[in-house]
Amino acid sequence: MKTVLITGCSSGFGLETARYFLDRDWQVIATMRTPREDVLPRSARLRVLSLDVTDPASIRAAVDAAGPIDVLVNNAGIGMLNALEGTSMEIAREIFETNTLGTIAMTQAVLPQFRERKDGVVVNVTSSVTLRPLHLLSVYTASKAAVNAFTESLALELEPFNVRARLVLPGRAPETRFAENGRPRMAGGIHEAYAEIAQGVFARWADSSVVTHSLDVAEAVWRAANDPSCPLRIPAGADAVAWAAQV
């Protein structure tokens, strides 16, 4: 029986992915900054661990507690929408610490066991916003685009050890708590000089019914974990698939 460790499982993509792997008889290690047993079905194949991907000691403790794993899914991330002028460097650093450096640190922590065993998969969940330039997402997109580049180079490094690295690129997912979780980093609101631009962005979102669902992402992660022939980048969700086709 294979084991997957998934970061950021308290809601959204991570929670749905944990359910998806559980339903398919995998051992699942679901990690959260604040562990909650009640969000997932009870199972002898499930463990919920505390993990803050920005804290080296927390990473060490979680990886040690997890033991041998077959797949790492780096899903934990935080969002933010604002013009660069409305983004403090403190917020920019927070975004990169979680989305970029957290992914790198988790990957670095599990690679020794994958390399020594000559088997394993790293699946990094980024975003379809990296496929095209968009208003008010410069810092967030940069944090995710960095993970794309990291993963592509990492995949080359790991080929001699039979270890795979893959990317899953979700689209906009209004059913998740992503926007809610990003609000604390937007406490000051959109910079006033960019208010008209923001109104246009929100209007386009309201007019669009083509979105990503958490199940789309779980299915893409499953494919990345189980199909060695799948492409390095896998768009997840109808909007993400459409964007990827235009690149």
Side-chain angles (χ1 to χ4, degrees), residues 6 14 42 44 65 92 103 114 120 122 145 147-148 155 172 183 191 226 232:
I6 308 165
R42 291 187 177 276
T103 293
F114 286 178
V122 177
V147 176
N148 289 357
R172 188 172 68 89
R183 284 195 189 105
H191 189 289
N226 289 281
L232 191 146

Side-chain angles (χ1 to χ4, degrees), residues 6-183:
I6 308 165
T7 69
C9 288
S10 60
S11 64
F13 302 154
L15 180 58
E16 188 64 33
T17 300
R19 290 192 187 115
Y20 198 90
F21 277 75
L22 269 177
D23 288 345
R24 285 151 183 81
D25 298 327
W26 277 52
Q27 299 270 10
V28 174
I29 300 168
T31 71
M32 312 172 191
R33 279 184 296 182
T34 304
R36 289 181 55 192
E37 300 280 352
D38 61 320
V39 296
L40 285 160
R42 291 187 177 276
S43 172
R45 292 179 286 100
L46 171 68
R47 280 191 289 161
V48 176
L49 298 180
S50 174
L51 173 63
D52 178 348
V53 299
T54 69
D55 181 347
S58 179
I59 291 173
R60 284 194 298 272
V63 171
D64 287 347
I69 64 172
D70 299 282
V71 176
L72 168 67
V73 179
N74 283 310
N75 167 76
I78 55 177
M80 192 270 299
L81 180 82
N82 212 329
L84 181 59
E85 284 193 77
T87 305
S88 69
M89 288 308 299
E90 180 182 6
I91 294 297
R93 289 189 181 96
E94 182 185 5
I95 295 290
F96 271 81
E97 282 287 346
T98 300
N99 294 356
T100 311
L101 297 178
T103 293
I104 293 172
M106 277 301 300
T107 305
Q108 190 176 57
V110 303
L111 279 189
Q113 61 171 287
F114 286 178
R115 174 178 48 76
E116 290 167 9
R117 198 167 63 238
K118 286 189 166 35
D119 190 33
V121 185
V122 177
V123 183
N124 292 332
V125 180
T126 62
S127 175
S128 64
V129 301
T130 59
L131 299 174
R132 66 198 308 183
L134 297 167
H135 293 99
L136 308 181
L137 284 167
S138 55
V139 172
Y140 175 77
T141 298
S143 74
K144 292 295 191 177
V147 176
N148 289 357
F150 160 73
T151 307
E152 289 167 350
S153 290
L154 180 70
L156 294 177
E157 290 181 16
L158 298 181
E159 277 182 358
F161 306 103
N162 194 42
V163 176
R164 303 196 307 276
R166 295 292 187 268
L167 286 161
V168 170
L169 286 70
R172 188 172 68 89
E175 72 181 16
T176 70
R177 293 171 53 197
F178 185 79
E180 175 188 337
N181 291 339
R183 284 195 189 105

Side-chain angles (χ1 to χ4, degrees), residues 222-238:
W222 175 264
R223 182 184 177 196
N226 289 281
D227 180 4
S229 67
C230 75
L232 191 146
R233 293 184 178 216
I234 306 173

